[in-house]
Amino acid sequence: MRVLVTGGAGFIGSHVVDALTEHGHEPVLFDVAADAGADVRDRDAVARALDGVDAVCHQAAMVGLGTGFADAPEYVSRNDLGTAVLLTTMADAGVRRLVLAGSMVVYGEGRYECARHGVVRPGPRDTADLAAGRFEPLCPRCGAELSPGLVAEDAPVDPRNVYATTKLAQEHLAAAWARATGGTAVSLRYHNVYGPRMPKDTPYAGVASFFRSALARGEAPRVFEDGCQRRDFVHVRDVAAANTAALTADTAVGALTVYNTGSGEPHTVGEMARALADAHGGPEPVVTGEYRLGDVRHITADSGRLRAESGWKPEVGFAEGMREFARAGMRGA
């Protein structure tokens, strides 16, 4: 299969290119970082790249939480306009198979259960609570403590920042494209992806990158809140393998199929920082109590559907992955 990989020179995209090659496919790299003319917002450039292509793995995006709402126009342009141009050009070219780099951030907060009221959905955390060090969401009905759990694909979506909003819009565009063209679209809702070639020293990188970059400078990783935020840290090679599996999975025609894509091993941010620091040889992490508006407390999801329907399973365990990442090369900003 000849597969166009947008963002194919990037962190995840470059691993997708490797995985496709290993599985006997022919990847076609399309990335503005490798070629200034390879912008998914440029319809002519996309049309040229789609020549002879059977499917698209759409990894190109502006990622991360960003630095404030002032980034909104750039996020929308790169993520949503870019996706709209790509899908329109795919429709014209007769390319009918898409794998989209989705994100677990579309859920907002994760799944919570109250002992009295069952499954509940807490709203955004209050600034005063965060400033006072009260980080855990409470039951919106009775104010009791909640137990976090795993989110399924059918959970309501609730994007809490600009990046999350654009990732959800990408899914809506992909669903509309699939209905209009009879195409097959899959969104892999990535969890916290980490591993070799991760970007460093940029405000848009993930928390694993921040910690790894600090350690490389001989500085202690700075852990926000109390470090007990739950996440699913999934290795980039496993994410790349999920892309190859999704390309050949038997998914619905004329619709968007969504899969959570995680390791299945929730860990706290503090645990990740300690594992990375130990593997690197220090310094030890510092828990700061600081916070970022727009961050959620706990978000971990059930990736069983992807395993069952595609045969994919993660291969890199948490401890092994952190040991590798502690010494792995990273990309410049």
Side-chain angles (χ1 to χ4, degrees):
M1 189 182 299
R2 184 174 167 88
V3 184
L4 181 68
V5 184
T6 69
F11 167 43
I12 298 175
S14 65
H15 286 276
V16 171
V17 168
D18 290 347
L20 289 169
T21 302
E22 290 166 8
H23 284 78
H25 300 294
E26 181 186 353
V28 178
L29 190 151
F30 188 85
D31 194 303
V32 71
D35 178 355
D39 190 323
V40 290
R41 295 168 292 185
D42 183 337
R43 191 165 179 173
D44 291 338
V46 173
R48 290 190 295 271
L50 285 170
D51 185 35
V53 161
D54 303 300
V56 174
C57 280
H58 184 29
Q59 309 295 316
M62 186 174 179
V63 300
L65 183 59
T67 57
F69 197 82
D71 291 324
E74 191 69 9
Y75 271 111
V76 172
S77 177
R78 291 181 180 271
N79 296 355
D80 299 336
L81 175 60
T83 299
V85 170
L86 172 66
L87 293 173
T88 300
T89 314
M90 287 173 64
D92 292 343
V95 180
R96 296 290 184 265
R97 192 160 192 92
L98 171 73
V99 177
L100 172 69
S103 176
M104 56 84 187
V105 296
V106 301
Y107 295 118
E109 284 286 355
R111 185 182 188 275
Y112 292 89
E113 189 166 348
C114 172
R116 180 179 177 186
H117 294 108
V119 176
V120 295
R121 293 186 59 79
R125 294 181 292 173
D126 184 77
T127 303
D129 286 337
L130 293 171
R134 297 187 292 269
F135 302 119
E136 292 289 346
L138 301 177
C139 177
R141 299 178 63 183
C142 68
E145 293 184 0
L146 300 173
S147 298
L150 300 179
V151 179
E153 286 90 348
D154 60 358
V157 291
D158 184 20
R160 298 286 177 91
N161 56 58
V162 171
Y163 170 63
T165 301
T166 64
K167 296 306 290 183
L168 182 57
Q170 284 184 312
E171 290 191 348
H172 290 321
L173 288 165
W177 167 84
R179 286 193 296 269
T181 65
T184 300
V186 173
S187 178
L188 299 175
R189 288 178 175 170
Y190 300 160
H191 278 255
N192 290 71
V193 186
Y194 73 96
R197 307 177 202 160
M198 199 170 191
K200 63 180 180 179
D201 298 327
T202 167
Y204 301 96
V207 65
S209 172
F210 295 153
F211 293 165
R212 174 67 176 79
S213 296
L215 289 166
R217 297 190 300 268
E219 300 172 2
R222 295 178 59 82
V223 181
F224 280 13
E225 301 189 16
D226 57 2
C228 295
Q229 313 92 298
R230 285 163 49 97
R231 298 289 188 270
D232 185 327
F233 300 100
V234 58
H235 196 278
V236 66
R237 288 196 298 273
D238 286 331
V239 167
N243 276 267
T244 62
L247 278 173
T248 55
D250 186 15
T251 51
V253 174
L256 174 71
T257 302
V258 173
Y259 292 120
N260 292 328
T261 308
S263 72
E265 299 180 33
H267 290 273
T268 68
V269 173
E271 287 173 343
M272 188 269 286
R274 286 191 296 274
L276 197 55
D278 288 347
H280 191 271
E284 287 297 305
V286 174
V287 178
T288 68
E290 297 173 300
Y291 62 89
R292 295 194 305 179
L293 291 176
D295 276 348
V296 298
R297 180 60 174 174
H298 305 296
I299 175 65
T300 55
D302 184 351
S303 300
R305 182 180 177 188
L306 177 60
R307 299 186 191 209
E309 296 185 8
S310 75
W312 169 86
K313 65 176 183 178
E315 300 289 347
V316 183
F318 178 76
E320 173 193 354
M322 289 298 159
R323 285 194 298 269
E324 178 197 28
F325 185 46
R327 300 297 179 184
M330 298 181 73
R331 292 171 178 261

